[in-house]
Amino acid sequence: MPYCEVDRYQAGDKWEGVRLFYRRYGRGATKVLLVIGLAGTHDSWGPQIRGLTGSMEPADGGDVPEPAARTDEEAAAPATATAPEEEDVGEGIEVCCFDNRGVGRSTIPPHKSYYSTAIMARDALALMDHLGWKKAHVFGHSMGAMISCKLAAMAPHRLSSLALLNVTGGGMECFPKVDAQMLSLAFRFLRARTPEQRALVDLETHYTKEYLDEEVESCTRRAILYKEYVKGISSSGMQSNCGFEGQINACWTHKVTTKELDTIRAAGFLVSVIHGRHDIIAQVCHARRLAQRLLPVARMVDLHGAHLVSHERPQEVNNALMDLIKATKSATAPHEWSSQPENTSGMLKNRLLNVAKFYGRLCWKAHLLR
């Protein structure tokens, strides 16, 4: 299996490596890094992998032996770059997705202090180094979008563009809208001990009821997805308490500062904020607020769907991602890309739009002069 060591932590008197499991799909000069959310694994990006590359066949040669265990002396030594030179393979898209620390086949550090969105952004950056990618389009979902924000602020020169799916600002914004349905779901989620119990809860939090109740051939989509979820959870295993608590800590402690937002806005790349308007986990109001704070480089894409809008509306999400890639290739100016500010009216709306366009032109000119 393909692994990449991205970090080390001290466990007693020994150093342990943090390794990420990853997969690559497709080939091409356009690189896309997909960062998944809380408790998710790399294969959660299936509809986007297929939509972007046209294939679900891994391009990394399938299973490969795991690397030999490192000695304590090797583990304590500074990391050295061993990545191959990035090759120009022409048109096409190459995608890399991975299991974050704490889930799937990646390392599960034992304490929540080893988890934060900044730490996990450095994991993603180390993976890009390992792959030899100088730049990539970075697309993140939910917690993965928080990680992607940190990565964009940390190393803006490494991003071609940024897509944030079902994102919030972390902290208190991680709290869903509290009602009877959500309280019931939270109770059942915490009590879930089997793949079957977990699958039932996941379906109700990931999709709209309308979507789940749709008839597909002789049964409902709910029944089909239930079997797929049980199979998927059974094959990858339930996330450990340690990994779950660590990733929750990363979400709870996440915050993007005004300075970091300024860095993202001034970096010169375009941003797409994509959200399911019926998301009960990450409320759409938080995504809209973030999109407005990222004007003029951000476009808000509001879709009919829930938290896993990337699965519920795959074609629309994939179209939005391809629009972002194409706009980047054609060097679309931010003020031409961004949507109009929402929840404003009349003269104030026009003034805000004019200010956004003016600021966008300045940022774009400064970017071209570098």
Side-chain angles (χ1 to χ4, degrees), residues 337-366:
W337 166 257
S338 61
S339 61
Q340 295 186 3
E342 298 184 25
N343 301 322
T344 56
S345 61
M347 188 178 294
L348 176 59
K349 184 173 183 178
N350 291 331
R351 285 178 180 175
L352 286 174
L353 182 58
N354 288 334
V355 170
K357 287 183 176 180
F358 176 73
Y359 183 74
R361 292 190 186 99
L362 288 179
C363 289
W364 190 246
K365 288 179 180 177

Side-chain angles (χ1 to χ4, degrees), residues 121-298:
R122 288 193 288 270
D123 289 350
L125 192 59
L127 177 57
M128 285 179 63
D129 291 340
H130 172 80
L131 296 172
W133 290 6
K134 296 175 183 177
K135 297 189 76 168
H137 299 270
V138 177
F139 302 160
H141 177 264
S142 193
M143 181 188 74
M146 301 181 202
I147 295 168
S148 300
C149 269
K150 283 293 182 183
L151 175 57
M154 187 182 297
H157 61 287
R158 302 293 297 274
L159 270 71
S160 300
S161 73
L162 176 66
L164 306 173
L165 285 70
N166 296 79
V167 68
T168 73
M172 294 296 292
E173 292 186 10
C174 290
F175 279 106
K177 183 178 180 180
V178 179
D179 55 20
Q181 178 196 14
M182 181 49 64
L183 290 174
S184 172
L185 286 170
F187 180 74
R188 289 160 55 200
F189 178 84
L190 293 173
R191 288 177 60 86
R193 295 291 182 270
T194 67
E196 290 78 11
Q197 292 171 335
R198 177 63 181 272
L200 288 171
V201 178
D202 282 354
L203 289 179
E204 291 186 45
T205 55
H206 289 170
Y207 304 100
T208 61
K209 184 177 184 301
E210 169 193 351
Y211 180 75
L212 291 174
D213 290 343
E214 285 179 5
E215 292 287 336
V216 181
E217 296 181 353
S218 60
C219 60
T220 64
R221 195 181 300 275
R222 185 191 301 271
I224 296 171
L225 288 172
Y226 173 75
K227 293 179 181 178
E228 293 178 1
Y229 268 53
V230 170
K231 181 180 179 181
I233 297 170
S234 299
S235 63
S236 61
M238 296 280 284
Q239 187 179 20
S240 69
N241 289 336
C242 184
F244 179 71
E245 289 171 4
Q247 292 193 348
I248 284 287
N249 182 68
C251 295
W252 178 245
T253 58
H254 173 75
K255 182 179 180 180
V256 181
T257 66
T258 299
K259 183 178 180 181
E260 288 174 324
L261 289 173
D262 289 342
T263 297
I264 295 172
R265 276 198 304 269
F269 54 77
L270 304 177
V271 181
S272 188
V273 181
I274 305 169
H275 213 94
R277 68 180 68 103
H278 302 294
D279 189 342
I280 62 174
I281 300 295
Q283 297 181 65
V284 69
C285 59
H286 302 312
R288 288 188 180 127
R289 186 179 303 117
L290 179 59
Q292 289 179 4
R293 294 181 71 188
L294 286 172
L295 283 172
V297 299

Side-chain angles (χ1 to χ4, degrees), residues 3-16:
Y3 285 88
C4 167
E5 184 166 312
V6 295
D7 194 13
R8 304 185 192 97
Y9 65 91
Q10 194 164 6
D13 57 352
K14 293 184 178 181
W15 285 89
E16 300 286 348

